[in-house]
Amino acid sequence: CGIVCTNMGVKAGKRIGVKGEIAAGAKSFVLNLGKDQANVVLHFNPRFDAHGDVRTIVCNSMDKGEWGAEQRESAFPFQEGTNVEMFITHDPSNLTIALPNNHQFKFPNRLGLQVIDFLNAEGDFTIKSIQLE
Ligand SMILES: CCCO[C@@H]1O[C@H](CO)[C@@H](O[C@@H]2O[C@H](CO)[C@H](O)[C@H](OCc3cn(Cc4cccc(C#CCN)c4)nn3)[C@H]2O)[C@H](O)[C@H]1NC(C)=O
């Protein structure tokens, strides 16, 4: 499994920057952000080709181990085999996810999480740097 960060203490309004490499031939990768692995305010899952989704970002939340409703985004500013930088900020109502090519979208803060302490990555993505600013 990929990198796991805990105790990050990222408060609302602060920004998390994630830089990493998408593997050549990538099928899917995941960034999870939240309190811990069972309380995920943002499950961010770009699917190049997975679960029947092609070049689609699937987002969801997990509250005490229970998945919420999926949300699919229209933009897919990712190329397999390239480096990518993404930024996530949150407030009591929403998370804002900034992607390459100035794509940006919001995802509801369904858990009402004030502090993001947990981050992990799964799948065809290797994290190179994490900025907390
Ligand atoms: C149409 C009826 C059926 O509906 C489908 O039902 C599936 C199962 O429920 C959902 O799929 C689940 O969707 C959830 C979000 O909601 C989650 O993404 C979850 O994955 C958890 C997970 C797995 N991993 C490990 C990992 C990740 C990525 C790469 C690798 C790799 C590798 C080496 N190359 C490993 N990390 N987190 C996913 O399985 C589909 O979306 C859903 N589709 C629709 C349209 O509804």
Side-chain angles (χ1 to χ4, degrees):
C1 69
I3 197 167
V4 179
C5 300
T6 57
N7 301 14
M8 293 199 297
V10 179
K11 292 186 172 62
K14 296 291 179 192
R15 200 168 74 151
I16 303 170
V18 178
K19 251 189 247 182
E21 273 175 33
I22 300 172
K27 295 290 177 228
S28 171
F29 73 88
V30 165
L31 289 181
N32 290 307
L33 293 157
K35 180 170 172 288
D36 54 39
Q37 69 180 27
N39 297 282
V40 174
V41 71
L42 175 66
H43 170 84
F44 175 78
N45 179 205
R47 297 178 181 176
F48 291 80
D49 184 0
H51 300 288
D53 289 296
V54 176
R55 296 182 66 76
T56 306
I57 297 173
V58 176
C59 291
N60 205 340
S61 56
M62 181 180 277
D63 195 349
K64 300 184 190 67
E66 301 294 318
W67 286 114
E70 294 186 345
Q71 183 173 297
R72 279 169 171 70
E73 303 304 325
S74 50
F76 194 83
F78 298 112
Q79 293 293 330
E80 50 173 285
T82 65
N83 288 303
V84 69
E85 185 167 29
M86 299 167 272
F87 296 96
I88 302 101
T89 54
H90 73 287
D91 66 35
S93 307
N94 291 293
L95 292 105
T96 302
I97 298 93
L99 299 175
N101 308 342
N102 287 326
H103 288 285
Q104 183 166 308
F105 69 93
K106 291 188 186 303
F107 186 79
N109 184 344
R110 294 170 177 164
L111 281 65
L113 199 62
Q114 305 287 329
V115 179
I116 292 177
D117 276 317
F118 172 84
L119 177 152
N120 90 310
E122 298 279 4
D124 304 321
F125 183 70
T126 306
I127 290 186
K128 295 296 181 196
S129 92
I130 297 169
Q131 280 170 283
L132 308 183
E133 53 192 7

